[in-house]
């Protein structure tokens, strides 16, 4: 069962996983919708062995990409000096992983040097 029925059954499950992982509902919904569109495009010959796991992985990555983009845009908009960049880095907190925070801190430091 690939079609719309499978996606209708899996969508709320995937949404629930993202929300339990800490995504806010609206952002999780957007990420799940993107993952569903990817599934329709990439599964023309049939679903993978574990379609739920595939959707969770793709949706979570879409959520993280959107979160990273939002934090980076915020940093670019607000970083006027190094102290401000450091404050924003700390404010990013749990929204991103430590590797992402390191990347954002470097990006903010470059902006502060301008």
């Amino acid at each position: 069962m690939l079609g719309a029925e499978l996606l209708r059954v899996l969508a709320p499950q995937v949404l629930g996983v993202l929300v339990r992982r800490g995504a806010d509902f609206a952002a999780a919904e957007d990420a799940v919708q993107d993952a569903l569109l990817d599934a329709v495009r990439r599964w023309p010959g049939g679903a993978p062995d574990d379609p739920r796991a595939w959707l969770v992985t793709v949706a979570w990555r879409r959520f993280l990409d959107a979160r990273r983009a939002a934090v980076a845009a915020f940093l670019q908009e607000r970083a006027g000096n190094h102290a401000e960049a450091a404050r924003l880095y700390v404010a990013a907190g749990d929204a991103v992983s430590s590797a992402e925070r390191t990347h954002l801190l470097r990006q903010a430091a470059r902006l502060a040097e301008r």
Side-chain angles (χ1 to χ4, degrees):
M1 150 173 97
L2 166 58
E5 183 60 32
L6 174 63
L7 297 178
R8 264 197 281 310
V9 168
L10 293 176
Q13 296 173 19
V14 174
L15 180 62
V17 170
L18 268 62
V19 170
R20 283 189 299 277
R21 286 184 178 180
D24 62 275
F25 189 82
E29 254 187 340
D30 291 343
V32 170
Q33 287 176 6
D34 287 344
L36 293 172
L37 288 173
D38 275 354
V40 169
R41 289 186 199 116
R42 295 177 190 230
W43 299 354
D49 291 339
D50 190 347
R52 182 177 183 266
W54 189 94
L55 286 169
V56 167
T57 299
V58 171
W60 184 248
R61 288 177 181 168
R62 291 295 176 105
F63 166 75
L64 291 177
D65 289 346
R67 178 60 57 97
R68 285 183 199 122
V71 170
F74 179 74
L75 287 173
Q76 285 180 346
E77 184 179 304
R78 298 285 308 272
N81 59 46
H82 191 68
E84 178 70 1
R87 186 188 69 73
L88 294 173
Y89 162 78
V90 171
D94 295 331
V96 292
S97 71
S98 63
E100 293 163 334
R101 281 193 301 260
T102 300
H103 171 74
L104 292 171
L105 181 58
R106 288 181 184 145
Q107 189 175 14
R110 279 194 298 267
L111 289 170
E113 292 172 355
R114 292 182 184 174

